[in-house]
Amino acid sequence: MTGVVIVAHEPLASSLLSCASHIFGELSGVLAYDAGNDEDPDQMFRAVLERIESAAAGEGVLVLTDVVGATPANQTDRAAREASRLGTPTTVLAGVNIPMLLRTLPYRHLSLDDLAQRALAGGTQGVLRVDGEPEDH
């Protein structure tokens, strides 16, 4: 089973995990990390790496983060590269949202690459306008 770690500015990661747990019940191998506003980047790196190692169950870890270029995503990328170097295949996707997470969790039996593709599809297909096109005036 592929592990999942959610890393985002606080309190988004734990809120996303709470929402997913509300839908799916208890989720083993799925962890969240809320990055604090004034948190030391090295501390963040260590905390994310620890969660990647904890979520790993032999199939790798998919890490979902919020904003490309922000400190949580940068430290997540750094931790993922270190985890991979240490033997845990790790993939990072940015732009986490509820549809991405809900498309990910039921398919954790898939390979890491297949799960990442499914997560990307869920995240992008879940963002759309639902009230129709605006009228031309």
Side-chain angles (χ1 to χ4, degrees):
M1 180 93 40
T2 301
V4 175
V5 176
I6 308 160
V7 180
H9 292 85
E10 70 179 345
L12 182 58
S14 59
S15 296
L16 288 169
L17 180 55
S18 178
C19 180
S21 296
H22 175 76
I23 294 166
F24 294 113
E26 185 177 339
L27 296 164
S28 64
V30 181
L31 303 172
Y33 181 72
D34 289 311
N37 190 22
D38 295 324
E39 189 171 348
D40 175 64
D42 287 329
Q43 177 183 335
M44 194 180 299
F45 161 78
R46 288 188 299 276
V48 173
L49 181 59
E50 178 182 294
R51 280 163 181 76
I52 291 170
E53 291 170 344
S54 294
E59 301 299 319
V61 176
L62 179 63
V63 186
L64 307 174
T65 189
D66 54 0
V67 182
V68 172
T71 302
N74 292 342
Q75 295 311 312
T76 294
D77 180 53
R78 183 177 159 212
R81 283 186 278 117
E82 180 66 8
S84 292
R85 188 187 70 74
L86 295 172
T88 299
T90 308
T91 297
V92 179
L93 302 179
V96 65
N97 58 30
I98 296 286
M100 178 185 283
L101 188 58
L102 298 183
R103 181 71 68 91
T104 300
L105 296 175
Y107 298 99
R108 293 176 49 218
H109 62 279
L110 297 175
S111 71
L112 182 55
D113 288 338
D114 289 342
L115 185 61
Q117 289 305 312
R118 190 167 291 269
L120 285 170
T124 57
Q125 293 168 3
V127 178
L128 53 110
R129 186 172 183 157
V130 297
D131 67 346
E133 293 296 320
E135 295 180 25
D136 283 339
H137 293 287

